[in-house]
Amino acid sequence: MTMPYPGEPFAEAVGEAVQASTMAVRLVLAVADAVRRAAQRRTGGERQLPPVDQALPEAAGDVKARLVPDVAWALMSGPDWPAMAQQLVALRQAGVDLDHFLPQVGGIAVAVRDAVAADSARVAAGRTQEWARVLRATVPAGPVREAILSSPIWPEIAATMKELHDHGIDVRRVLAAAYAEGLGVDRAVGRTLNAPQRSAAAPSRDAVLSYGPLTVGLDLPKDLDLGNRRRALAQLGVSQAENGRFVRWVHEAMPGREREAGLLVGSRQWPLLAARMARMQDDGRSVPDHLVRLMRDRGWEAGPVSQLTARLIHATVAALHRPTHDDLASGPVVTSAARASSAAAGPPPSRTRGTALTGPGTAPHRAPVPRPGTGRSR
């Protein structure tokens, strides 16, 4: 049987959720059929199920018209569809209004499908999050790390890393070797395309203008491109699953301020804020505990509407830098030790002070990947 809704493949990623919804439909039908039989027996006239050849076309029309396409297709493609079709037609013959009954069943199926899908997404995100942290700690910012995190097969890559780890393999050592090979591939392809090497290029405008309190200690690639959000997140080592979680945390920290939260997460500098949150997670710090300051200290509310986004960004930088127990702090604390933790080749301290968004200077960059076993390389 072909799928009745072309263009929407029955992918493995959603297959489990849809199959769970069909199980719920089977359960409801089984209960309804048992009730039908018992009710007919009480009146002394239990009726047998209609013939399969009669029930199939009649039930198919009802299911296609009253259930969502993916659930309908999964039901009709299952091995027990003929028996289910007989049950449906028998219910109609017994006086059940399928125009009311089937939409109710469909609502149950959709609720089950969405619940299973949400749980699967949560589990998958949790599995990749751990390995995104390992990747950030091992592979320098640049084309190799960007390619890994932005790849459509990143979940499979993360699963492979976990499998290697479960077999006792030092995943960081493998990643270090893979980085070296990947960098060679990137350069070879660049030569073939007659393109200039990224490593030889001057820092991008985004990389230069981003240096400041927001990026202290972060892994800032020389060719940072904040105009392409998906790429910028990958350049900064933030997976899509992590980014989605950070966006949710901002909205949860600003209840009733959906517009302001939307301006913040939609800003050009958002990937830098997301990278800061990812770094805080790697260091074992609770990002939500810092974000609550956005509603406690609402200085960002005062001022021209045209500058609201900039004020929100500044307030978020301050909230992320300030210790959670320090309610009197007025801004980000950027100590000389913190500046020293920034990757080498950054400007000297006298040239790095300024705002997070417009301060001049050269962005810090990662040195080549360290030998395995040296711990985090930031």
Side-chain angles (χ1 to χ4, degrees), residues 119-177:
D119 186 63
S120 298
R122 178 185 59 77
V123 172
R127 289 171 178 167
T128 61
Q129 173 190 345
E130 174 187 356
W131 299 108
R133 288 198 293 265
V134 172
L135 189 69
R136 273 197 301 271
T138 309
V139 176
V144 176
R145 192 171 76 181
E146 175 186 346
I148 295 172
L149 279 172
S150 61
S151 171
I153 62 169
W154 161 241
E156 287 83 351
I157 294 174
T160 301
M161 293 165 66
K162 180 183 185 303
E163 186 173 353
L164 289 171
H165 174 75
D166 291 345
H167 282 85
I169 305 300
D170 185 348
V171 175
R172 292 174 187 259
R173 184 180 295 275
V174 176
L175 279 176

Side-chain angles (χ1 to χ4, degrees), residues 72-97:
W73 181 81
L75 283 173
M76 293 186 291
S77 62
D80 54 354
W81 166 241
M84 296 173 66
Q86 289 178 294
Q87 290 175 336
L88 280 171
V89 173
L91 287 172
R92 167 175 280 139
Q93 292 175 350
V96 175
D97 182 2

Side-chain angles (χ1 to χ4, degrees), residues 50-65:
V52 173
D53 56 353
Q54 171 193 337
L56 283 176
E58 183 177 344
D62 290 327
V63 167
K64 288 179 182 179

Side-chain angles (χ1 to χ4, degrees), residues 45-325:
E46 179 181 347
R47 303 173 70 178
Q48 296 300 315
L49 293 173
V52 173
D53 56 353
Q54 171 193 337
L56 283 176
E58 183 177 344
D62 290 327
V63 167
K64 288 179 182 179
R66 296 171 179 84
L67 298 184
V68 293
D70 53 354
V71 175
W73 181 81
L75 283 173
M76 293 186 291
S77 62
D80 54 354
W81 166 241
M84 296 173 66
Q86 289 178 294
Q87 290 175 336
L88 280 171
V89 173
L91 287 172
R92 167 175 280 139
Q93 292 175 350
V96 175
D97 182 2
L98 294 189
D99 289 341
H100 174 76
F101 176 77
L102 276 177
Q104 295 294 109
V105 174
I108 296 171
V110 168
V112 171
R113 180 198 65 189
D114 293 348
V116 173
D119 186 63
S120 298
R122 178 185 59 77
V123 172
R127 289 171 178 167
T128 61
Q129 173 190 345
E130 174 187 356
W131 299 108
R133 288 198 293 265
V134 172
L135 189 69
R136 273 197 301 271
T138 309
V139 176
V144 176
R145 192 171 76 181
E146 175 186 346
I148 295 172
L149 279 172
S150 61
S151 171
I153 62 169
W154 161 241
E156 287 83 351
I157 294 174
T160 301
M161 293 165 66
K162 180 183 185 303
E163 186 173 353
L164 289 171
H165 174 75
D166 291 345
H167 282 85
I169 305 300
D170 185 348
V171 175
R172 292 174 187 259
R173 184 180 295 275
V174 176
L175 279 176
Y179 164 75
E181 297 302 321
L183 198 59
V185 170
D186 181 74
R187 289 171 176 165
V189 173
R191 287 193 296 270
T192 301
L193 298 177
N194 197 26
Q197 289 297 307
R198 295 173 184 164
S199 58
S204 68
R205 175 179 171 81
D206 283 332
V208 172
L209 296 183
S210 296
Y211 192 82
L214 173 57
T215 58
V216 167
L218 293 184
D219 228 356
L220 216 61
K222 291 178 67 175
D223 59 344
L224 179 65
D225 179 13
L226 296 177
N228 184 332
R229 170 159 297 201
R230 192 176 188 91
R231 184 189 175 200
L233 289 167
Q235 286 181 307
L236 293 164
V238 180
S239 70
Q240 290 300 306
E242 289 176 312
N243 180 60
R245 184 168 57 257
F246 301 152
V247 168
R248 186 182 74 250
W249 284 348
V250 167
H251 281 275
E252 290 174 349
M254 303 179 71
R257 299 301 183 93
E258 288 77 13
R259 173 176 173 270
E260 289 81 357
L263 288 174
L264 179 59
V265 302
S267 67
R268 184 181 178 87
Q269 287 77 22
W270 170 255
L272 296 171
L273 292 169
R276 169 60 60 195
M277 294 178 193
R279 177 61 185 269
M280 292 173 67
Q281 278 202 145
D282 290 353
D283 293 341
R285 299 164 64 193
S286 172
V287 174
D289 287 349
H290 287 259
L291 290 177
V292 294
R293 290 185 179 276
L294 290 173
M295 292 300 288
R296 290 180 186 168
D297 308 325
R298 296 203 291 262
W300 49 266
E301 292 178 325
V305 175
S306 60
Q307 298 174 13
L308 176 58
T309 301
R311 294 197 302 273
L312 283 165
I313 294 170
H314 179 78
T316 306
V317 174
L320 295 177
H321 274 287
R322 289 160 56 183
T324 55
H325 61 275

